Amino acid sequence: MTLAVRVPQELSARVPVEQRGPGLERDAVRMLVSRGAEVAHHTFRELPLLLRAGDLLVVNTSATLAAAVDGWTGHARVVVHFSTRGDDGRWAVELREPDGRGTTRARAGGPAGRDVRLPGGVGLVLEEPLSGRGERLWWARVSGPGVPGLLREHGRPIRYAYTERDQPLSAYQTVFALPSADGTGSAEMPSAARPFTARLVTELVSRGVRFAPVTLHTGVASAEAHEPPYPERFEVPEASARLIEATRAGGGRVVAVGTTAVRAVESAVGADGAVRACAGWTDLVVTPEHGVRVVDGLLTGLHEPQASHLLMLEAIAGRVAVERGYEAALQGRYLWHEFGDVHLVLP
């Protein structure tokens, strides 16, 4: 779906909430709560009061990478956004142009054979588009030292023009993030979990809310493209699958923290409707036509009116709830994007 609304530029969150005033922490963001067509306004710190003992929060443990690296193709400067590592060792990348203001703008991808020079003796050659949907993302063969080391030494978090300035990588890590053994992670932060603090997690656990960790490494979601997600690597561990099934059997609610958690869990549902341990690649795109089989609720950020994530939101909440929620968010001057406010959808 798309919404017939326009998000004013001033509603983009330009800095993290903890930088907006003294004494603020990540959980100081606002939270719009939708139950069907009913809308209520809260702060994120009130989340423990809105959940019940026996509810389950499914959280994504993927760590955010410093996935943007400066490079050169010929005499032209480019910025390479490293998106996803393939099973064959290649990386899906997006080439962008510096815009002179510390961020980047879209540029044409390709052609095949284009050579890009990167710091530390690393080079890459574009080989083929990632999919037939377009030529924004390309599979690239990387030479020289490995990409994880390159990102640690020379990378910075991907950011777009609506943000005010560069932030340290720590600003893009959630409290649930775990480094992976092979150095892979998410090109862009699984941002729905950003408002959680250790204190809030402790309170939720004390009130009987449980957590099920899953992993889905997000690729680059270009600010201009609003494309459906590409295949992404995910894992639902055995313990988490059992927790999800126990919650369903006990009458609790399964609430996904972020669209990435929805994609991971719904990709692990078998033909019999049960969630089982699963790992690999998922190309699942959750739409109203596909529906959801496990997830009851969703905590997510506020998405652009053209974003494909709205299809998932509609699949969980229904079109009327999404439209009412976004009307209320605009009227209430909620903030958009990864440092912005959040939207909790409950059955």
Side-chain angles (χ1 to χ4, degrees), residues 286-291 311 315:
V286 177
T287 65
E289 294 73 27
H290 180 278
L311 291 171

Side-chain angles (χ1 to χ4, degrees), residues 302-319:
L302 293 164
H303 304 289
E304 291 287 355
Q306 304 84 12
S308 63
H309 293 306
L310 290 176
L311 291 171
M312 180 185 291
L313 199 56
E314 183 182 354
I316 296 170
R319 188 179 186 95

Side-chain angles (χ1 to χ4, degrees), residues 89-323:
R90 295 187 298 175
W91 279 79
V93 301
E94 179 186 21
L95 267 58
R96 294 177 66 89
E97 292 180 352
D99 65 1
R101 300 188 298 273
T103 55
T104 61
R105 54 178 171 257
R107 72 184 299 281
R114 180 181 293 279
D115 177 78
V116 181
R117 303 185 308 281
L118 298 169
V122 176
L124 61 83
V125 177
L126 302 185
E127 292 193 344
E128 59 182 333
L130 184 62
S131 86
R133 296 207 304 256
E135 296 194 356
R136 182 175 65 88
L137 288 168
W138 282 69
W139 284 117
R141 185 73 61 183
V142 181
S143 61
V147 171
L150 169 73
L151 301 186
R152 285 193 300 271
E153 290 291 322
H154 302 285
R156 61 185 180 276
I158 290 173
R159 78 173 180 98
Y160 295 109
Y162 52 76
T163 55
E164 185 173 290
R165 57 182 177 270
D166 282 346
Q167 298 286 342
L169 185 59
S170 59
Y172 291 87
Q173 301 293 8
T174 75
V175 71
F176 305 110
L178 295 172
S180 62
D182 62 1
T184 55
S186 287
E188 298 183 14
M189 173 176 52
S191 56
R194 190 183 191 278
F196 283 91
T197 61
R199 179 186 61 198
L200 193 70
V201 170
T202 300
E203 182 179 350
L204 286 162
V205 171
S206 298
R207 289 178 178 269
V209 176
R210 294 176 292 183
F211 289 81
V214 300
T215 302
L216 187 139
H217 296 316
T218 67
V220 171
S222 174
E224 302 86 9
H226 303 303
E227 302 159 324
Y230 289 93
E232 293 169 321
R233 194 189 302 271
F234 81 104
E235 180 181 9
V236 176
E238 176 69 32
S240 294
R242 290 181 179 177
L243 264 176
I244 292 168
E245 287 302 299
T247 299
R248 298 171 74 192
R253 297 173 294 184
V254 177
V255 179
V257 178
T259 58
T260 60
V262 176
R263 199 180 195 203
V265 168
E266 295 291 330
S267 297
V269 181
D272 60 355
V275 177
R276 294 183 177 84
C278 190
W281 291 84
T282 177
D283 59 2
L284 176 65
V285 178
V286 177
T287 65
E289 294 73 27
H290 180 278
V292 290
R293 294 191 282 175
V294 173
V295 172
D296 300 305
L298 172 64
L299 176 72
T300 184
L302 293 164
H303 304 289
E304 291 287 355
Q306 304 84 12
S308 63
H309 293 306
L310 290 176
L311 291 171
M312 180 185 291
L313 199 56
E314 183 182 354
I316 296 170
R319 188 179 186 95
V320 172
V322 177
E323 290 176 342

Side-chain angles (χ1 to χ4, degrees), residues 42-113:
H42 294 269
T43 65
F44 190 74
R45 287 174 180 161
E46 296 174 279
L47 179 64
L49 304 178
L50 298 168
L51 299 177
R52 303 190 293 251
D55 285 344
L56 181 71
L57 290 172
V58 181
V59 297
N60 186 0
T61 64
S62 180
T64 308
L65 302 174
V69 181
D70 293 322
W72 298 263
T73 177
H75 296 293
R77 284 189 59 210
V78 293
V79 177
V80 179
H81 287 177
F82 283 86
S83 181
T84 306
R85 194 190 72 171
D87 291 334
D88 60 1
R90 295 187 298 175
W91 279 79
V93 301
E94 179 186 21
L95 267 58
R96 294 177 66 89
E97 292 180 352
D99 65 1
R101 300 188 298 273
T103 55
T104 61
R105 54 178 171 257
R107 72 184 299 281

